[in-house]
Amino acid sequence: MYRSHNCGELRSSHIGQEVTLSGWVQISRDLGGLTFVDLRDRYGITQVVFNMDDNATLCEQARKLGREFVIRVTGTVNERSNKNANRPTGDIEIIASSLEILNASKVPPFIIEEETDGGDDIRMAYRYLDIRRPNVQKNLIFRSQLAIQSRKYLSDLGFIEVETPVLIKSTPEGARDFVVPSRMNPGEFYALPQSPQTFKQILMVAGMDKYFQIVKCFRDEDLRADRQPEFTQIDCEMSFVTQEDILNTFEGLTKSVFQELKGIDLGDFPRMSYDEAMERYGSDKPDLRFDMEFIEITDRAKGYDFPVFDNSEYTVAIVAKGAADQFSNKDIKKLTEWMQRPQVGAKGLVNIKYTAEGVKSSVGKFYSDDVLNEWKTDVFSAEDGDMVLILTGEKEKTQKQMNVLRLEMADRLDLIKAGDFKPLWVVDFPLLEWDEESERFHAMHHPFTSPKAEDMDRMMNGDHETMKSLRADAYDLVINGSEIGGGSIRIHDRELQSKNFDLLGFSKEEAEEQFGFLMGAFEYGAPPHGGIAFGFDRLCAVMNGQSSIRDFIAFPKNSSGRDVMINSPSAIAKEQLVELSIDLDIKEKHEK
Amino acid sequence: MYRSHNCGELRSSHIGQEVTLSGWVQISRDLGGLTFVDLRDRYGITQVVFNMDDNATLCEQARKLGREFVIRVTGTVNERSNKNANRPTGDIEIIASSLEILNASKVPPFIIEEETDGGDDIRMAYRYLDIRRPNVQKNLIFRSQLAIQSRKYLSDLGFIEVETPVLIKSTPEGARDFVVPSRMNPGEFYALPQSPQTFKQILMVAGMDKYFQIVKCFRDEDLRADRQPEFTQIDCEMSFVTQEDILNTFEGLTKSVFQELKGIDLGDFPRMSYDEAMERYGSDKPDLRFDMEFIEITDRAKGYDFPVFDNSEYTVAIVAKGAADQFSNKDIKKLTEWMQRPQVGAKGLVNIKYTAEGVKSSVGKFYSDDVLNEWKTDVFSAEDGDMVLILTGEKEKTQKQMNVLRLEMADRLDLIKAGDFKPLWVVDFPLLEWDEESERFHAMHHPFTSPKAEDMDRMMNGDHETMKSLRADAYDLVINGSEIGGGSIRIHDRELQSKNFDLLGFSKEEAEEQFGFLMGAFEYGAPPHGGIAFGFDRLCAVMNGQSSIRDFIAFPKNSSGRDVMINSPSAIAKEQLVELSIDLDIKEKHEK
């Protein structure tokens, strides 16, 4: 027997009992006559005491224990004289009567505590040590609990978890696929799913009625800061439902997991159309934890001989409450430069400061104090101490830039209260986006999304311009400015689906080759259906007020898609290539 | 609103209510004045009545409904005059007041009922219609429930579900890997996991203590009848445990799922050593639902001038109770030929029939009636009417052949009672198997399995012959002759692991390259640990008394690894190959 109890469960009620514990040496302190060992496992830390007077040999052994040694200790539970109120086991200690080293440890390359001295790279290389840190362990346990709670909620509603295949078919639409050469079918490839989209729709055609799956998905993308090549979705689909049914079901799921895991009542989620979100926040995932809504002043700003505003399509302001004092001219210059970086691309940044001493503005030459003071009350509802920031230019670009500025200002002004959660449904997305560059439509959500019922005729019969105005039964769940999930009512009619593929630039042959099975299925009694997918990694992070999904993934990959612990990807044997009927297109890399 | 109720929930208590149902037309019967439509969804079937007298237009519409049309019906719940006791909704019917066709259907290519006329190939091509059959739906729902129950059981014990990566590293040991070319790391490949073995061990080193995962695994094998390239495991690992702890935990899991999902109390599971299983049943996964244990007569049969037995290493008998009358000489000749097929490879088959008229044997020339009658009581405990079947030859081969014969006889004699479940732990497996052909050891379980504590010294210091006698803390759970799962206590010591790789024919460099991260992890405080994995697909099938795992997989692949519904694998675009820095090794196949 390795243990009678774990390292987190002994309390005063156990005093006097003989117990056996196993775990890791967190720290060993030699105080001469006494040696104290903090023994750690997933459940907690228990203090073990070795007494030189009682058992000199044992105490000598204990003195030699290094950090992270794995030991088994037997002893008696004793009341501590100096109790540690910060530790659940802090009332007791173990007076050791025997000690066995189960495994030694080299000195770990970084400190295994919540606060560590290990950088990202070394912690990833020694991920088995990194995961021993209680905060990382807590994250992984949270993830497990979130999965349990999500499954429970959906199962209770009659959702069936169905496993869809991982080895599927490559479809060039969307992001890049990871592909898998088929040995048994030379020259042919499977692809790993970017999502189980078509399979879950097939399951609806198959009458499964309510499907869900917590499932790995794969995208071979260039990895930005917080993307992973493999990620996890809570993937759902329902038959015989309207958008309203889906929003209510998954609002319920979200409320339930916040309530059960965080003790937070989210209340009812507000809804906002895509257009409104863009007008008010310049983003389809606005962060509602703070105000600073957009105030459009395009027309208002014209006619003052300031050519930049006079000739602009769109001029927009935000009011940074109480920021006038906090931003010196130098700060504003720096902020302007920050906004002018290529990643953001603003041409300039106009400011107006309202203070007790009067109004000051970078465009004071064109706008008199009277005008700016009139705006102060009529337009900005500003007070003394507030600073107004203004951007101008092409509408869509300027909205995006102002969104960046709004988020940045919230951060600098410390407007976000820790533990605050603001959910929002964004609805009524456009069906199609016109892409100037490729001169074709893209699906705003995906090619299977249905236009709204009232737009179907216009979609089947309208002209090119009409297509730009089609609205979809598509929706996103946003929390604190992060997109948690999105979904749509799907097309379930072959003709409409075929029309959509046309609009998206598929030839009949391409559509048939890639999605013929789905369009075929639509001819055999496909029910009306729709669904949603939540980013599971993202939901974990947002629920814990953290920004990186990597902290909630046991074995994440780095930005080159590499697992540095196992050193993967790696070269494979020549024989494997031969069996798979493939060859490398770069000779030098393959040496095995 | 598409429905107020589903098609399985209306009862007498709803009589008089106005309801709306949506579903599929199972059948429509036009009886002149009345048209009856059976409306089906996942939850059941409800009868809908259209009355020519009440609403002729509506009834005309209903007459035109084809099989599998998707409709919405509103009407009033009415008491049926002729109740259908076989159907939960059989007390009521809906008198329709409105009808809407939500989607039409072509005539389906096979009958969508439990008994279908569709062959395997067509059902797989139209899997969305196949899944509409209630038995297939029931299988998928069972699978979902088994996952829920398994997760609940393990979570309640403190197991944490951790997702391990799907894009890992290729290791030539074991079966063939599926590989995934890395675009960002030209010439390098990921592999899909054959199991999360090394990651779950890493999680133990990381202090996660109790891990589980219901997880997809992948093997690029030539697909025998009941193998799939992707399959699902309940994968588990525990720290600070002995074999006993693991057997008890997973016996508990198995009992729990049988109790909860089948209402069956399995009782305590017997245990049998590998050696004993081989001696008594010639198999490490004996089916205990019937007897016919092996009776070795090697020595007993020698000395009667029958050279076949005299010169044999091993002669073994089974007693087929009451089979003497059922097997004519012709039957026995056929059975002998069946045993002589190359797949089995028996040289011959000796029989002794004990009847009221006396004893008859194919080796009666050598063995007198007196001898055979003495054996009847002393050796075979046979009675009149029994038939003894005897095989002889090289021991291991003959054991395997007799195992085949035993299973075949059980089938022919109908010895297996439906609904009978006989679990068994097989324990004390050999650590290593010597393979004559490749002249090297293979790991009986896998390279991470620990020898028993008492065999460790012999393993580190023994000679070649010693290695063959090492026993492992490895165990299999067998139910009804199917291997449900297997596992072992793992090595957690670098030296022992390194020695095992030596024995398995790895060079130091190969071992380091492939498993260096694991051996490295063992140096930083690896706890004693062990685990098990259950074949989830297999468990589903066995619990339902079915032999094929394909019936429990939503989208299985055929024996060429092909998904015929989506037609995958398939060729990919030239640009994809270029991006991935690979080339096809067969030119003609790639035309895109």
Side-chain angles (χ1 to χ4, degrees):
Chain A
M1 186 193 55
Y2 284 104
R3 59 188 175 194
S4 61
H5 298 78
N6 65 47
C7 295
E9 69 179 310
L10 294 174
R11 300 286 184 276
S12 313
S13 59
H14 297 94
I15 288 169
Q17 287 185 24
E18 178 168 89
V19 297
T20 299
L21 301 184
S22 288
W24 285 263
V25 173
Q26 178 74 31
I27 194 168
S28 166
R29 281 161 298 155
D30 175 8
L31 304 183
L34 295 173
T35 292
F36 292 95
V37 170
D38 275 357
L39 193 63
R40 188 197 69 232
D41 65 14
R42 196 186 99 198
Y43 311 94
I45 293 182
T46 299
Q47 179 167 289
V48 183
V49 187
F50 298 86
N51 193 324
M52 205 63 186
D53 291 340
D54 290 353
N55 191 333
T57 325
L58 205 64
C59 197
E60 287 291 354
Q61 273 181 27
R63 283 179 183 177
K64 288 177 199 146
L65 294 174
R67 277 167 58 204
E68 301 305 317
F69 273 46
V70 184
I71 62 171
R72 167 164 53 190
V73 172
T74 298
T76 308
V77 183
N78 187 45
E79 183 166 13
R80 272 173 76 160
S81 49
N82 57 335
K83 298 197 169 50
N84 180 346
N86 298 321
R87 196 180 271 179
T89 64
D91 286 353
I92 59 93
E93 61 195 3
I94 312 295
I95 308 294
S97 58
S98 81
L99 165 65
E100 185 187 352
I101 295 175
L102 299 173
N103 217 341
S105 174
K106 289 188 185 172
V107 175
F110 52 85
I111 294 171
I112 300 183
E113 294 179 19
E114 194 148 332
E115 293 295 321
T116 182
D117 55 349
D120 234 36
D121 289 348
I122 191 144
R123 287 192 293 106
M124 287 305 131
Y126 294 86
R127 183 65 168 167
Y128 43 89
L129 298 180
D130 195 32
I131 294 176
R132 281 190 202 160
R133 296 165 57 224
N135 44 330
V136 182
Q137 229 160 55
K138 217 176 83 190
N139 285 351
L140 297 182
I141 293 172
F142 179 89
R143 184 185 178 100
S144 178
Q145 288 169 336
L146 181 57
I148 288 172
Q149 188 58 32
S150 304
R151 285 192 163 98
K152 180 171 168 12
Y153 187 87
L154 292 169
S155 303
D156 286 350
L157 290 180
F159 282 80
I160 305 297
E161 186 160 26
V162 180
E163 291 176 60
T164 53
V166 174
L167 296 171
I168 65 164
K169 182 171 174 159
S170 187
T171 54
E173 178 69 10
R176 262 188 226 93
D177 285 324
F178 284 105
V179 299
V180 180
S182 167
R183 180 180 53 86
M184 286 201 272
N185 303 276
E188 299 190 333
F189 292 77
Y190 302 100
L192 305 183
Q194 297 183 29
S195 95
Q197 183 60 35
T198 52
F199 285 97
K200 68 177 175 174
Q201 292 193 243
I202 286 287
L203 285 170
M204 292 304 101
V205 180
M208 289 306 291
D209 204 74
K210 288 178 183 168
Y211 145 91
F212 86 102
Q213 190 181 189
I214 300 186
V215 61
K216 276 282 177 75
C217 301
F218 306 86
R219 275 182 209 168
D220 184 11
E221 287 177 300
D222 296 314
L223 300 175
R224 282 184 274 141
D226 208 27
R227 285 275 181 86
Q228 285 284 316
E230 49 180 301
F231 56 96
T232 303
Q233 278 185 190
I234 308 179
D235 192 53
C236 303
E237 199 80 2
M238 305 170 79
S239 291
F240 301 116
V241 289
T242 59
Q243 169 172 306
E244 193 62 27
D245 297 315
I246 295 179
L247 298 193
N248 289 335
T249 302
F250 293 92
E251 186 166 321
L253 169 64
T254 311
K255 284 179 182 176
S256 154
V257 296
F258 269 87
Q259 186 67 59
E260 295 296 325
L261 298 181
K262 306 293 289 183
I264 291 170
D265 179 2
L266 287 183
D268 288 343
F269 298 4
R271 298 183 188 181
M272 193 182 286
S273 74
Y274 171 84
D275 288 344
E276 186 183 344
M278 293 307 292
E279 292 296 333
R280 288 173 61 187
Y281 302 99
S283 166
D284 59 1
K285 44 183 187 210
D287 190 335
L288 300 190
R289 288 177 296 177
F290 53 91
D291 297 328
M292 287 202 289
E293 280 190 36
F294 287 16
I295 302 168
E296 194 194 333
I297 55 165
T298 313
D299 294 335
R300 194 100 192 195
K302 287 187 200 288
Y304 294 88
D305 291 334
F306 181 43
V308 177
F309 286 178
D310 281 349
N311 303 322
S312 171
E313 183 192 351
Y314 179 76
T315 306
V316 65
I318 56 173
V319 180
K321 298 298 291 178
D325 288 349
Q326 295 179 47
F327 282 72
S328 66
N329 286 344
K330 202 174 140 194
D331 292 334
I332 291 174
K333 186 161 170 274
K334 275 192 176 166
L335 182 63
T336 307
E337 284 163 8
W338 188 85
M339 286 295 293
Q340 288 171 328
R341 290 173 310 148
Q343 299 96 305
V344 186
K347 294 227 174 66
L349 176 63
V350 170
N351 76 83
I352 310 170
K353 284 181 174 179
Y354 294 106
T355 66
E357 288 76 49
V359 55
K360 277 179 68 179
S361 171
S362 55
V363 291
K365 263 201 296 191
F366 304 98
Y367 299 85
S368 71
D369 287 4
D370 284 351
V371 168
L372 294 178
N373 278 321
E374 191 193 314
W375 290 5
K376 177 183 176 186
T377 44
D378 292 5
V379 181
F380 301 132
S381 305
E383 298 171 309
D384 284 348
D386 294 350
M387 176 171 70
V388 174
L389 295 169
I390 301 171
L391 293 172
T392 195
E394 190 268 308
K395 182 170 179 176
E396 225 174 280
K397 274 187 196 159
T398 307
Q399 281 179 331
K400 279 185 191 157
Q401 292 158 3
M402 188 53 108
N403 171 49
V404 171
L405 181 60
R406 178 177 174 266
L407 296 174
E408 179 67 16
M409 288 305 290
D411 190 37
R412 297 198 184 189
L413 296 172
D414 217 8
L415 297 185
I416 294 170
K417 210 172 71 204
D420 198 12
F421 291 99
K422 292 290 180 203
L424 171 71
W425 285 112
V426 179
V427 297
D428 300 343
F429 276 82
L431 181 70
L432 302 165
E433 267 185 310
W434 179 252
D435 183 47
E436 289 295 346
E437 207 169 313
S438 59
E439 294 210 306
R440 46 169 285 215
F441 283 111
H442 288 282
M444 190 89 175
H445 185 53
H446 59 45
F448 313 105
T449 297
S450 178
K452 286 183 173 291
E454 60 265 32
D455 281 357
M456 282 185 190
D457 274 351
R458 294 201 302 136
M459 177 167 168
M460 291 304 282
N461 306 306
D463 61 10
H464 182 83
E465 277 310 303
T466 304
M467 297 310 150
K468 296 184 184 174
S469 70
L470 300 174
R471 282 294 176 275
D473 275 333
Y475 32 82
D476 275 357
L477 175 61
V478 176
I479 299 180
N480 293 358
S482 281
E483 186 192 324
I484 297 299
S488 62
I489 298 295
R490 326 298 185 186
I491 295 170
H492 63 278
D493 175 78
R494 186 185 174 110
E495 290 313 309
L496 198 61
Q497 186 63 68
S498 182
K499 172 73 181 181
N500 207 26
F501 284 134
D502 288 352
L503 289 170
L504 296 173
F506 285 76
S507 72
K508 288 283 175 215
E509 292 67 34
E510 286 167 348
E512 186 58 35
E513 192 195 320
Q514 291 168 35
F515 301 111
F517 67 97
L518 185 64
M519 291 193 287
F522 287 171
E523 295 182 314
Y524 286 95
H529 63 285
I532 198 166
F534 277 13
F536 188 66
D537 313 288
R538 174 68 53 205
L539 181 58
C540 284
V542 167
M543 285 184 76
N544 288 285
Q546 294 188 29
S547 58
S548 167
I549 63 169
R550 278 180 48 166
D551 295 337
F552 291 84
I553 295 174
F555 301 101
K557 292 184 174 58
N558 73 10
S559 56
S560 326
R562 181 164 287 281
D563 182 328
V564 293
M565 181 183 76
I566 64 172
N567 192 22
S568 160
S570 58
I572 60 173
K574 183 73 196 161
E575 305 83 67
Q576 280 176 287
L577 295 174
V578 169
E579 277 201 324
L580 296 170
S581 309
I582 57 173
D583 235 339
L584 293 187
D585 209 9
I586 33 147
K587 301 306 168 198
E588 67 278 15
K589 275 265 180 181
H590 187 65
E591 290 148 356
K592 212 173 167 188
Chain B
M1 186 192 58
Y2 283 104
R3 59 188 175 194
S4 61
H5 297 78
N6 65 47
C7 295
E9 71 177 307
L10 293 174
R11 301 288 184 273
S12 312
S13 59
H14 297 94
I15 288 169
Q17 287 185 25
E18 178 167 88
V19 298
T20 300
L21 300 184
S22 288
W24 286 263
V25 173
Q26 177 75 29
I27 194 168
S28 167
R29 281 160 297 155
D30 175 8
L31 304 183
L34 295 174
T35 293
F36 292 95
V37 169
D38 275 356
L39 193 63
R40 188 198 69 231
D41 65 14
R42 196 187 99 197
Y43 311 95
I45 293 182
T46 299
Q47 178 166 290
V48 183
V49 187
F50 297 86
N51 192 323
M52 205 62 185
D53 291 342
D54 291 352
N55 190 333
T57 325
L58 204 64
C59 195
E60 286 292 353
Q61 274 182 28
R63 284 181 181 176
K64 287 177 199 147
L65 293 173
R67 275 166 58 204
E68 302 305 316
F69 273 46
V70 183
I71 62 171
R72 167 164 55 188
V73 171
T74 297
T76 308
V77 182
N78 187 46
E79 182 165 14
R80 273 174 75 160
S81 49
N82 57 334
K83 298 197 168 47
N84 180 345
N86 297 323
R87 197 179 270 180
T89 64
D91 286 354
I92 58 94
E93 62 195 1
I94 311 295
I95 308 295
S97 58
S98 82
L99 164 65
E100 185 188 352
I101 295 175
L102 299 173
N103 217 342
S105 174
K106 289 186 183 173
V107 176
F110 52 85
I111 294 171
I112 300 184
E113 293 179 19
E114 194 148 331
E115 294 294 322
T116 181
D117 55 349
D120 234 37
D121 289 350
I122 191 143
R123 286 191 295 103
M124 287 303 133
Y126 293 87
R127 184 65 168 166
Y128 43 88
L129 298 180
D130 196 32
I131 294 177
R132 282 189 201 158
R133 295 165 58 224
N135 44 332
V136 181
Q137 229 160 55
K138 218 177 83 191
N139 285 351
L140 296 182
I141 292 171
F142 179 88
R143 184 185 178 99
S144 178
Q145 288 169 336
L146 181 57
I148 288 172
Q149 188 58 33
S150 304
R151 284 193 164 98
K152 181 172 169 4
Y153 187 86
L154 293 169
S155 302
D156 286 351
L157 290 181
F159 282 81
I160 305 296
E161 186 161 25
V162 180
E163 292 175 58
T164 52
V166 174
L167 297 170
I168 65 163
K169 182 170 175 161
S170 188
T171 54
E173 178 68 11
R176 261 188 227 95
D177 284 324
F178 284 104
V179 298
V180 180
S182 166
R183 179 180 54 85
M184 286 201 273
N185 303 277
E188 300 191 332
F189 292 77
Y190 302 100
L192 304 183
Q194 296 183 30
S195 94
Q197 183 61 34
T198 51
F199 285 97
K200 68 177 175 175
Q201 292 192 243
I202 286 288
L203 285 171
M204 294 303 101
V205 180
M208 289 307 291
D209 204 76
K210 289 178 183 168
Y211 145 93
F212 86 102
Q213 191 181 188
I214 300 187
V215 60
K216 275 279 176 76
C217 301
F218 306 86
R219 274 181 210 169
D220 184 11
E221 287 178 301
D222 296 316
L223 301 174
R224 281 183 275 139
D226 208 28
R227 284 276 182 89
Q228 285 284 316
E230 50 181 299
F231 55 97
T232 303
Q233 277 185 194
I234 307 179
D235 192 54
C236 302
E237 199 79 4
M238 303 170 79
S239 290
F240 301 116
V241 289
T242 59
Q243 169 171 306
E244 194 62 28
D245 297 316
I246 295 178
L247 298 193
N248 289 334
T249 303
F250 293 92
E251 186 166 322
L253 170 64
T254 311
K255 283 179 180 176
S256 154
V257 297
F258 270 86
Q259 187 66 59
E260 295 295 326
L261 297 180
K262 307 292 291 182
I264 291 170
D265 179 1
L266 287 183
D268 287 343
F269 298 4
R271 297 182 189 183
M272 193 182 286
S273 74
Y274 171 85
D275 287 345
E276 186 183 345
M278 294 307 293
E279 290 297 333
R280 288 172 63 186
Y281 302 99
S283 166
D284 59 1
K285 43 181 187 218
D287 190 336
L288 301 191
R289 287 176 297 177
F290 53 91
D291 296 330
M292 287 202 287
E293 279 190 36
F294 286 16
I295 301 167
E296 194 193 331
I297 54 166
T298 313
D299 294 336
R300 195 100 192 193
K302 287 188 199 292
Y304 295 90
D305 291 333
F306 181 43
V308 178
F309 285 178
D310 281 349
N311 302 322
S312 172
E313 182 191 352
Y314 180 74
T315 304
V316 64
I318 56 172
V319 180
K321 298 297 292 178
D325 288 348
Q326 296 178 46
F327 281 74
S328 66
N329 286 344
K330 201 173 143 194
D331 292 336
I332 290 174
K333 184 158 173 277
K334 275 191 175 169
L335 183 64
T336 307
E337 285 163 6
W338 188 85
M339 287 295 294
Q340 288 170 329
R341 289 172 312 146
Q343 299 97 303
V344 186
K347 294 224 173 69
L349 176 63
V350 170
N351 76 83
I352 310 170
K353 282 180 175 182
Y354 293 106
T355 66
E357 287 77 48
V359 57
K360 277 180 70 180
S361 172
S362 55
V363 290
K365 266 203 290 192
F366 304 99
Y367 299 87
S368 71
D369 286 3
D370 284 351
V371 168
L372 295 178
N373 278 323
E374 191 192 315
W375 289 6
K376 177 183 177 187
T377 44
D378 290 4
V379 181
F380 301 132
S381 306
E383 297 171 310
D384 284 348
D386 293 351
M387 175 169 72
V388 174
L389 295 170
I390 301 171
L391 293 173
T392 195
E394 190 268 309
K395 181 169 179 177
E396 226 173 279
K397 274 187 196 160
T398 307
Q399 281 179 331
K400 279 186 191 158
Q401 292 159 3
M402 188 53 107
N403 171 49
V404 172
L405 182 61
R406 176 177 175 268
L407 296 174
E408 179 66 15
M409 289 305 291
D411 191 36
R412 294 196 186 192
L413 296 172
D414 216 8
L415 297 185
I416 294 170
K417 209 172 71 206
D420 199 12
F421 292 98
K422 293 288 181 206
L424 172 71
W425 285 113
V426 179
V427 296
D428 300 342
F429 277 81
L431 182 69
L432 303 165
E433 270 185 307
W434 179 251
D435 183 49
E436 289 293 348
E437 207 168 314
S438 60
E439 293 210 307
R440 47 167 284 215
F441 283 111
H442 288 282
M444 190 87 176
H445 184 54
H446 58 46
F448 314 105
T449 297
S450 179
K452 286 184 172 291
E454 61 266 30
D455 282 357
M456 282 185 192
D457 275 350
R458 294 202 301 137
M459 176 165 168
M460 290 304 282
N461 306 308
D463 61 10
H464 182 82
E465 279 308 304
T466 304
M467 298 308 149
K468 295 183 183 172
S469 70
L470 300 173
R471 283 294 176 273
D473 275 333
Y475 31 83
D476 275 358
L477 175 62
V478 176
I479 298 179
N480 293 357
S482 281
E483 186 193 324
I484 297 300
S488 61
I489 297 296
R490 327 298 184 187
I491 296 170
H492 63 278
D493 175 78
R494 189 188 170 108
E495 290 314 308
L496 198 62
Q497 185 64 66
S498 183
K499 172 74 181 181
N500 207 25
F501 284 134
D502 288 351
L503 289 170
L504 296 172
F506 285 76
S507 73
K508 288 283 176 215
E509 293 68 32
E510 285 167 349
E512 187 58 36
E513 192 194 322
Q514 291 167 36
F515 302 110
F517 68 97
L518 185 64
M519 290 192 287
F522 287 171
E523 296 182 312
Y524 287 95
H529 62 286
I532 198 167
F534 278 12
F536 189 66
D537 314 288
R538 174 68 52 206
L539 182 58
C540 285
V542 167
M543 286 183 76
N544 288 285
Q546 294 187 30
S547 58
S548 168
I549 62 169
R550 278 179 48 165
D551 294 337
F552 291 84
I553 295 174
F555 301 101
K557 292 184 174 56
N558 73 10
S559 55
S560 325
R562 183 164 286 281
D563 181 329
V564 294
M565 181 182 76
I566 64 172
N567 191 24
S568 161
S570 59
I572 59 173
K574 183 74 193 158
E575 305 84 66
Q576 282 177 285
L577 295 175
V578 170
E579 276 201 323
L580 294 171
S581 308
I582 57 173
D583 235 340
L584 293 186
D585 209 11
I586 33 145
K587 300 307 167 197
E588 67 278 17
K589 274 267 178 180
H590 187 66
E591 291 149 355
K592 214 171 165 186

